[in-house]
Amino acid sequence: MKVHDVAIIGAGITGAALARELSRYRLSLLLLEKEAEPAFGVSKSNSGIVHAGTQNPPGSLKARLCAEGNRLISGPLSEELGLDFIRCGQLIAAFGPGDLPRLENIKAEGEAMGVEGLEIVDRAWLDANEPNLSREATAALHCPTAGMISPYRFVHALVENAVGNGVVLRELSPVTAISRGADGVFSLTAGGGNYKARSVVNAAGLYADDIARMAGLPPYPIRPRKGEEYLLDRKREHIANRIIFPLPSGKSKGILVIKTSDGNPMIGPTAHDTADREDLSTTDEGLDEVLEGARRLMPSVNKSDIIAYFAGLRPAAGDDFIVRHEEAVPGFFSAAGIQSPGLTAAPAIALMLKGLLAERGLRLEPKEDFRPLRERTVHLFKVPLPRTRELIEEDPAYGDIVCRCELVSAREVRDAIKRGARTLDGIKFRTRAQAGRCHGGFCTTRLMKIMQEELGLSAAEITKRGPGSEIIKDERK
Ligand SMILES: Cc1cc2nc3c(=O)[nH]c(=O)nc-3n(C[C@H](O)[C@H](O)[C@H](O)COP(=O)(O)OP(=O)(O)OC[C@H]3O[C@@H](n4cnc5c(N)ncnc54)[C@H](O)[C@@H]3O)c2cc1C
């Protein structure tokens, strides 16, 4: 059996960033994912903020890796992978002179982490630049380097480029057993397959404790922290020009008004510990808390603006990330407890893990044929009309609109499938088809027809998010 140099467990943002980083080198790499597609774990349910690097405990791994991650995403990764990162900046609002010392403190801590451009702005600046902000806000910390990104498209871009550079991706492959032989080589059982690897990286998000247990380690104390988020109609796109934060609480960054890279603003998230790693329900209490928090920042936020909602679970394990080699199981590496700002920090976590792997003997010989570039995906809802006309002339399938709420064409859906989408959710996360007001009421049957043509599936085989979520229940092929 082939022995891989590194097996990475989990194709969320952490595993994806590491796979892509290691794919620069002459290595045999395996990426194992339990779900039907990458980014179906925590990385699909978050705020999509590329944090500036402020609001993290000084001296923590989170603080260092967040600031570094922001620089990597906004620089080389966006250029190479055609990411839809938008540097919109953020404001942390102060409500009265009593809040100013805390703003000064956050500013000083951010500057110590190398965060650039931090500035405390006054009410006149807010009037000119953020007219919908509450009149009660008296000042704010402006962090111009913060931005936003589509979290799933970020993961897909990394995985697509990693696979293009030789990484073996195995989906529907939950790791169920890990053993380490006398020769130091790991054997892994995953989704009915058996694999061998000299090093294993645990990037399994909410389930990292199960993986640690399988490897014979005491499990990390994963304590999911639930965050409910509410999406507003695209007509409120311009409610804010930046991402708006209150002062952080001890537990989270607070309830925000969030610009998203796809246009619809979001409000949230809550932050409540839960014992249930599968509980992605939203609640009336959560909605009330989010509306109250968002209205404190932007009084014009209205309940009737809400078109969709979701909850995500931060895989918290104590206060900081756990990124280390496990001396008790040589060759086993942990990237656990990757709570917020894990989406931002992931590229820096990948570099840190690469360093740890190299310290333990992984040879990093650059590949001459490494292809860093990935072709940017087209999204009609982001394209100006003259360019849309050109695209339709190039391929009339760009004019064949499948999802009218979000303006998604048949060509974009076919491209998403060619780039790896295998489920309806996979198409939604890549293209936004089904993500609008009608929630797929009009486009699902059309999407299923395209999936049948492109994937050679029967209608009964098409799933929302993998086996067990079939759309048509009582038909045979
Ligand atoms: C509400 C909310 C808002 C957030 N907002 C932000 C934000 O704005 N900015 C930011 O920087 N961060 C944010 N975060 C944090 C960020 O989403 C996470 O830090 C990040 O997504 C964690 O990624 P991960 O790859 O470590 O975990 P995951 O994305 O969960 O990936 C782990 C993967 O491992 C797979 N897996 C699990 N068990 C197994 C197994 N046995 N075998 C194989 N595969 C397995 C899972 O299916 C999953 O795909 C937010 C989080 C939440 C919940």
Side-chain angles (χ1 to χ4, degrees):
M1 193 191 298
K2 181 180 173 93
V3 180
H4 294 277
D5 293 303
V6 185
I8 302 166
I9 303 174
I13 191 67
T14 308
L18 178 64
R20 197 272 177 168
E21 182 55 38
L22 293 182
S23 72
R24 297 171 184 280
Y25 305 96
R26 292 173 173 278
L27 296 169
S28 164
L29 303 167
L30 175 67
L31 180 57
L32 295 168
E33 170 52 51
K34 84 174 161 74
E35 300 295 335
E37 295 191 36
F40 275 17
V42 183
S43 299
K44 79 170 186 320
S45 314
N46 58 60
S47 312
I49 300 169
V50 176
H51 291 285
T54 53
Q55 299 135 289
N56 292 307
S60 63
L61 257 188
K62 287 200 289 195
R64 176 166 68 78
L65 298 175
C66 179
E68 191 183 344
N70 178 299
R71 288 189 281 271
L72 291 166
I73 293 169
S74 57
L77 285 176
S78 283
E79 279 161 32
E80 292 176 355
L81 301 177
L83 302 179
D84 50 13
F85 169 75
I86 301 171
R87 181 160 262 167
C88 56
Q90 75 174 48
L91 290 175
I92 306 172
F95 290 81
D99 285 345
L100 275 181
R102 287 190 65 202
L103 275 196
E104 296 280 4
N105 208 16
I106 295 171
K107 178 170 181 277
E109 287 171 2
E111 282 167 347
M113 296 313 308
V115 181
E116 289 175 5
L118 297 177
E119 183 193 8
I120 294 187
V121 293
D122 61 13
R123 184 67 234 182
W125 190 99
L126 295 174
D127 284 338
N129 292 281
E130 210 58 73
N132 296 321
L133 189 66
S134 163
R135 299 294 312 158
E136 308 287 314
T138 48
L141 177 62
H142 181 211
C143 314
T145 56
M148 51 194 177
I149 198 163
S150 158
Y152 1 90
R153 290 207 289 277
F154 185 12
V155 177
H156 290 307
L158 289 162
V159 172
E160 196 184 307
N161 190 249
V163 169
N165 283 300
V167 172
V168 175
L169 168 67
R170 292 279 177 265
E171 291 151 331
L172 292 174
S173 297
V175 173
T176 47
I178 304 173
S179 60
R180 187 172 178 276
D183 55 358
V185 172
F186 291 91
S187 299
L188 299 104
T189 307
N194 292 306
Y195 304 92
K196 285 193 179 289
R198 288 182 197 89
S199 299
V200 172
V201 179
N202 178 4
L206 288 163
Y207 300 87
D209 51 353
D210 289 348
I211 299 293
R213 219 176 277 117
M214 288 177 211
L217 288 165
Y220 330 101
I222 304 261
R223 180 84 173 148
R225 190 169 303 142
K226 190 180 193 180
E228 295 183 28
E229 309 241 29
Y230 294 82
L231 257 116
L232 308 187
D233 195 286
R234 198 189 286 268
K235 68 180 187 221
R236 300 306 314 262
E237 180 169 358
H238 302 293
I239 187 169
N241 296 319
R242 292 161 193 77
I243 303 159
I244 313 292
F245 290 68
L247 278 167
S249 70
K251 210 171 185 187
S252 79
K253 298 184 182 73
I255 305 287
L256 326 175
V257 177
I258 305 159
K259 281 184 86 67
T260 69
S261 66
D262 289 350
N264 307 59
M266 266 190 325
I267 53 176
T270 56
H272 297 292
D273 291 348
T274 164
D276 186 348
R277 292 187 291 188
E278 301 286 331
D279 175 16
L280 295 176
S281 60
T282 51
T283 59
D284 288 346
E285 300 77 48
L287 172 60
D288 290 345
E289 185 186 337
V290 167
L291 273 174
E292 190 189 327
R295 281 199 189 121
R296 182 165 175 255
L297 298 170
M298 296 268 171
S300 70
V301 168
N302 202 308
K303 194 172 177 179
S304 64
D305 295 331
I306 295 173
I307 61 159
Y309 39 84
F310 63 87
L313 295 168
R314 305 166 183 87
D319 292 333
D320 207 354
F321 298 157
I322 298 170
V323 183
R324 65 186 179 213
H325 174 250
E326 300 290 355
E327 297 299 331
V329 183
F332 189 91
F333 298 79
S334 296
I338 309 298
Q339 51 181 296
S340 188
L343 184 74
T344 312
I349 296 173
L351 289 183
M352 184 175 169
L353 285 165
K354 179 174 85 169
L356 293 172
L357 281 152
E359 273 171 29
R360 301 293 306 183
L362 186 72
R363 289 185 54 188
L364 298 174
E365 282 176 50
K367 271 195 310 227
E368 305 82 56
D369 57 352
F370 171 66
R371 289 185 304 277
L373 303 183
R374 166 187 171 267
E375 198 184 332
R376 183 183 281 272
T377 48
V378 172
H379 300 282
L380 284 192
F381 67 86
K382 286 176 183 272
V383 169
L385 201 54
R387 177 69 190 133
T388 306
R389 288 200 190 98
E390 284 171 15
L391 286 168
I392 294 170
E393 267 170 37
E394 276 169 33
D395 182 351
Y398 277 119
D400 176 4
I401 299 303
V402 173
C403 168
R404 58 202 203 197
C405 300
E406 294 295 306
L407 197 68
V408 183
S409 65
R411 167 64 193 261
E412 289 161 78
V413 175
R414 289 187 197 280
D415 281 350
I417 295 170
K418 290 195 176 92
R419 286 172 183 252
R422 295 290 173 269
T423 63
L424 282 164
D425 274 1
I427 290 176
K428 175 164 81 178
F429 296 143
R430 285 174 175 84
T431 66
R432 289 194 62 78
Q434 316 156 80
R437 271 245 176 225
C438 89
H439 299 287
F442 288 107
C443 63
T444 300
T445 47
R446 181 74 203 286
L447 291 172
M448 288 173 71
K449 284 197 175 126
I450 298 177
M451 288 172 80
Q452 283 176 259
E453 284 167 19
E454 291 289 335
L455 297 168
L457 299 174
S458 73
E461 287 170 308
I462 292 174
T463 67
K464 179 168 163 51
R465 57 175 170 274
S469 62
E470 287 73 16
I471 305 296
I472 297 172
K473 295 286 181 202
D474 303 317
E475 259 177 43
R476 305 239 178 277
K477 191 173 179 183

